[in-house]
Amino acid sequence: MKIAVLTSGGDAPGMNAAIRAVVRTGQVYGHEVFGVKNGYKGLVDGEFIALTHQSVSGMLSRGGTFLGTSRLPEFKEEKVRQIAVDNLKKFDIDALVTIGGDGTYHGAMELNKMGIKTIGLPGTIDNDIAGTDFTIGFATAVETIVDAIDKLRDTSNSHQRVSIIEVMGRRSGDLAVFAGICGGAEFIITPENPVDKNHMMEEIRKYKNEGRRHAVVVITEKLFDVHALAKEISETSGFSSRATVLGYIQRGGSPCPDDRILGSLGSYALNGK
Ligand code: F6P
């Protein structure tokens, strides 16, 4: 068979390990494997490259995705997907492996409805894909966040501050929960467990009266204006407060062992069937 593989949406550590697994397992079973550049955009633009054992050498430990990725909102339009389907047929591709998160899975499902054999590998730091306990990239992102929390706790304690740390996750609070627990956060605020702000303020004032030197609040993105929250805490609690938005650093870096293993399980995408 001719198999194509792509990565789409936000990049995640371990995506390269997953591509490598698909390529090398494909070769074991005698398939030809092609990489699609830059996610669904490359499908539409017809950017296919042949991948060999050698093309994925050294990829296990590399962050990001060497195939490139993108977001393509236009892929929701059937006429745009039809161009992708036509290109897959033009290149005689028998099946497509997509590595990504929620949006990538939706795209793959729509392609499947249009007659393309697809299989998804869950690659996103958000851990928001059903059917798997963990997604490729999540564990590394948690490590990055925990490292940041540890560092921010040092300076919070020195300055007697409340540190607010905004993490990614989109609609999933898993990054905040896992990293918040590992970092010993006093408050973890997520879409699944939104906080009662008055209660939190009261608790923070209590901490001050008890003589505590600092507190850490980990919060999923898009829930609050974290800088405004820091200002409010500074004005009303007796602590000064600062907010740190961790941002894209959470998506980078060499995958940790768990993500290398999860990525390597991408070999099950082919598995000879
Ligand atoms: O899906 C991964 C993710 O990093 C989310 O946590 C975040 O909300 C989003 O991507 C950011 O997307 P973009 O790279 O388009 O800014």
Side-chain angles (χ1 to χ4, degrees):
M1 290 172 81
K2 280 189 177 178
I3 313 276
V5 57
L6 62 78
T7 49
S8 169
D11 60 341
M15 277 184 160
N16 282 325
I19 301 166
R20 172 182 174 273
V22 170
V23 171
R24 295 208 169 158
T25 309
Q27 290 199 327
V28 167
Y29 290 113
H31 304 310
E32 272 180 87
V33 183
F34 293 83
V36 182
K37 299 287 288 176
N38 308 320
Y40 289 127
K41 185 170 182 307
L43 269 191
V44 174
D45 296 342
E47 281 193 274
F48 293 80
I49 51 168
L51 294 176
T52 62
H53 193 276
Q54 201 50 35
S55 340
V56 289
S57 173
M59 286 300 159
L60 197 53
S61 57
R62 257 178 62 180
T65 157
F66 82 96
L67 285 177
T69 184
S70 61
R71 297 200 189 275
L72 187 67
E74 299 88 324
F75 208 66
K76 290 199 182 97
E77 297 167 33
E78 191 169 345
K79 65 172 194 300
V80 176
R81 289 198 304 276
Q82 189 59 53
I83 303 171
V85 169
D86 293 345
N87 279 334
L88 284 162
K89 289 188 176 149
K90 194 166 99 192
F91 283 87
D92 280 331
I93 302 294
D94 297 294
L96 174 68
V97 179
T98 61
I99 307 169
D102 192 48
T104 308
Y105 270 74
H106 275 103
M109 202 166 69
E110 293 304 322
L111 285 177
N112 188 253
K113 285 184 198 155
M114 294 167 82
I116 303 295
K117 284 184 189 151
T118 56
I119 187 151
L121 295 179
T124 166
I125 64 164
D126 296 338
N127 207 33
D128 61 351
I129 299 293
T132 180
D133 287 343
F134 296 109
T135 54
I136 301 162
F138 174 70
T140 307
V142 168
E143 273 193 18
T144 303
I145 300 168
V146 172
D147 181 53
I149 296 174
D150 289 347
K151 287 176 173 148
L152 288 164
R153 190 181 282 285
D154 290 344
T155 172
S156 299
N157 189 272
S158 308
H159 284 265
Q160 303 195 50
R161 280 183 178 151
V162 173
S163 259
I164 303 170
I165 303 159
E166 182 187 289
V167 302
M168 284 185 164
R170 206 189 287 266
R171 284 181 294 273
S172 161
D174 283 15
L175 282 173
V177 170
F178 279 69
I181 290 171
C182 295
E186 277 70 19
F187 294 93
I188 300 173
I189 308 173
T190 66
E192 299 87 350
N193 268 306
V195 77
D196 170 351
K197 206 169 87 183
N198 292 335
H199 171 69
M200 183 173 79
M201 290 298 193
E202 220 172 88
E203 289 293 302
I204 290 174
R205 279 192 286 271
K206 225 192 282 169
Y207 291 169
K208 188 72 195 169
N209 292 335
E210 287 165 5
R212 295 211 209 175
R213 287 189 62 86
H214 71 279
V216 168
V217 180
V218 179
I219 178 166
T220 305
E221 63 184 347
K222 300 181 174 81
L223 293 179
F224 276 103
D225 175 339
V226 286
H227 296 290
L229 183 62
K231 191 163 178 280
E232 196 177 333
I233 292 174
S234 294
E235 285 168 359
T236 60
S237 73
F239 280 109
S240 75
S241 176
R242 296 284 189 276
T244 304
V245 177
L246 286 189
Y248 293 91
I249 200 167
Q250 295 163 92
R251 293 217 303 236
S254 176
C256 68
D258 277 351
D259 281 331
R260 293 184 196 194
I261 288 181
L262 209 50
S264 299
L265 291 176
S267 59
Y268 283 97
L270 305 187
N271 210 20
K273 306 263 164 38

